[in-house]
Amino acid sequence: MNILITGGNGYIGSHTYVSLREQFPHAQLVIADNLSNSTVKALDNLKKIVQEEILFHNIDICHEEILEDLFSKHNFDAIIHFAGFKAVGESVDNPLKYYNNNLIGTLNLVKLCLKYDVKKFVFSSSATVYGDRVSPIVESLELLPTSNPYGETKAMCERILMDVAAINPEFSVSILRYFNPVGAHESGMIGEAANGMPNNLMPYITKVAKGELRALNVFGGDYPTIDGTGVRDYIHVMDLAEGHAAALAHLKPGTHIYNLGTGKGTSVLQLVDTFQRVNGVRIPYEIVGRRNGDLASVFADVSKAERELQWQAKRTIECMCRDAWNFEKNYVLI
Ligand code: NAD
Ligand code: UDP
């Protein structure tokens, strides 16, 4: 099998490379990534983990001709498509940057799949496409408008893939809706390298632990949840990575949508407590007002992925906190 991993040098893509190598030892894995949100150092560390040379192409998938050149040289059997921008706040400030990168990249890939007869496609989507729903969330729900352009690009890419699969009976699409990926490879060599001010909870906590930020602002202490703080379904990035290998192994014609989460909710304060306990560090925090657009409680119904992909997230919140800190405390931006 010959697999193209777009965005394969990024956070989730690099961990997925490791899982794919384990699951498909003889596959040819090719990364296309323009390093817009990842570094050469991450690639070097990935090489050390998998102990092999990596077929890496520094290309922008929005450049159709350059991407076609890659398709014409490799006989791809499958695409795992991570490449895209993902910062919700930035997408509100600069919607065209998001619509352009996330949509054009996906359109180019799908066009080339049809032209070069690539039949398997796995797409990185997000729980954000569900909008405001009561948890646990099941895949069969109609999508609601999201509160930001980033979420809209994910919903639009899903739609494009479904429509193309509907008229190309052999095109097999797996849409993976991630809940909240956190943690890092156990080696601590690859992880979520947050540049600038982190927006998400776990990268913020690790920066506070490192002393780079003074205290965590907990957004809202009056939600109808176990302790008043927001509840999310955190999933270890290696479990998520293994979910991609499972999705690829079980691909079948048509479009198939899977939630990748643990099915369990954890509040902000529960996550902070666990982080402090397993890592022996203190996380000062302060409860402040709610963040605009935030939902009280979001967690997945994961029974479809368990049933059809024979996959289940195995790693605990303790493991997520330990591995996130193990990566961050050694991480130096290059
Ligand atoms: P990331 O930014 O770490 O990785 C994305 C990679 O794609 C980066 O290495 C970047 O350099 C590359 N890239 C971006 N645009 C490109 C382009 N036009 N051409 C080539 N390479 C390009 O992000 P991630 O957290 O690994 O997320 C991967 C995918 O999963 C994204 O599509 C994201 O929207 C989706 N997702 C992420 C989360 C999350 O919390 N991390 C949650 C849900 C969905
Ligand atoms: N959160 C917080 N402080 C932060 C970042 C996030 O209290 O600095 C809360 C947020 O309100 C939500 C949870 O942590 O309840 C997860 O937020 P994140 O942005 O990581 O994920 P998302 O809200 O996109 O699911």
Side-chain angles (χ1 to χ4, degrees), residues 180 199-201 204 216-219 230 232 234 268 291 294:
N180 291 63
N199 297 305
N200 296 111
L201 181 59
Y204 205 105
L216 171 71
N217 291 317
V218 175
F219 298 139
R232 296 289 182 275
Y234 298 96
V268 176
R291 183 171 66 178
D294 262 359

Side-chain angles (χ1 to χ4, degrees), residues 19 22 237-247 311-312 314-315:
S19 290
E22 281 165 10
V237 66
M238 284 308 299
D239 277 324
L240 190 65
E242 288 163 11
H244 290 74
W311 165 90
Q312 196 174 22
K314 301 190 290 275
R315 294 162 179 88

Side-chain angles (χ1 to χ4, degrees), residues 96-236:
L96 279 183
K97 176 175 173 182
Y98 276 69
Y99 285 115
N100 190 65
N101 196 43
N102 294 3
L103 294 180
I104 304 288
T106 304
L107 283 170
N108 284 345
L109 285 166
V110 175
K111 270 191 263 178
L112 290 169
C113 282
L114 297 182
K115 185 163 175 186
Y116 288 84
D117 204 25
V118 183
K119 297 196 177 76
K120 296 180 174 180
F121 201 102
V122 177
F123 177 62
S124 293
S125 191
S126 164
T128 190
V129 298
Y130 289 116
D132 189 356
R133 293 289 194 174
V134 176
S135 292
I137 300 174
V138 290
E139 293 89 342
S140 52
L141 287 171
E142 283 286 312
L143 298 191
L144 296 179
T146 68
S147 55
N148 59 79
Y150 164 71
E152 291 304 317
T153 68
K154 290 292 164 192
M156 287 176 188
C157 289
E158 287 197 4
R159 188 77 245 165
I160 292 166
L161 288 164
M162 284 179 212
D163 290 346
V164 171
I167 50 146
N168 291 280
E170 292 191 334
F171 195 48
S172 305
V173 176
S174 193
I175 289 174
L176 305 181
R177 293 182 180 154
Y178 312 156
F179 279 66
N180 291 63
V182 295
H185 186 261
E186 60 178 6
S187 65
M189 290 166 70
I190 52 172
E192 185 167 18
N195 302 333
M197 185 64 95
N199 297 305
N200 296 111
L201 181 59
M202 185 66 97
Y204 205 105
I205 290 176
T206 58
K207 295 280 182 215
V208 172
K210 220 173 170 180
E212 290 178 12
L213 293 168
R214 191 187 58 81
L216 171 71
N217 291 317
V218 175
F219 298 139
D222 57 354
Y223 285 109
T225 60
I226 181 165
D227 55 20
T229 65
V231 164
R232 296 289 182 275
D233 186 342
Y234 298 96
I235 173 170
H236 194 293

Side-chain angles (χ1 to χ4, degrees), residues 5-15 31-39 42 56-63 67 81-87 98 100-102 104-106 123-128 150 153-154 176-182 191-193 200 237 240 244:
I5 311 170
T6 75
N9 198 40
Y11 173 45
I12 302 169
S14 58
H15 291 81
I31 293 180
D33 195 306
N34 65 355
L35 303 182
S36 56
N37 198 36
S38 56
T39 60
F56 173 76
H57 296 267
N58 183 347
I59 62 167
D60 184 340
I61 63 161
C62 293
H63 285 284
L67 188 62
H81 176 32
F82 296 101
F85 294 146
K86 62 167 180 178
Y98 276 69
N100 190 65
N101 196 43
N102 294 3
I104 304 288
T106 304
F123 177 62
S124 293
S125 191
S126 164
T128 190
Y150 164 71
T153 68
K154 290 292 164 192
L176 305 181
R177 293 182 180 154
Y178 312 156
F179 279 66
N180 291 63
V182 295
E192 185 167 18
N200 296 111
V237 66
L240 190 65
H244 290 74

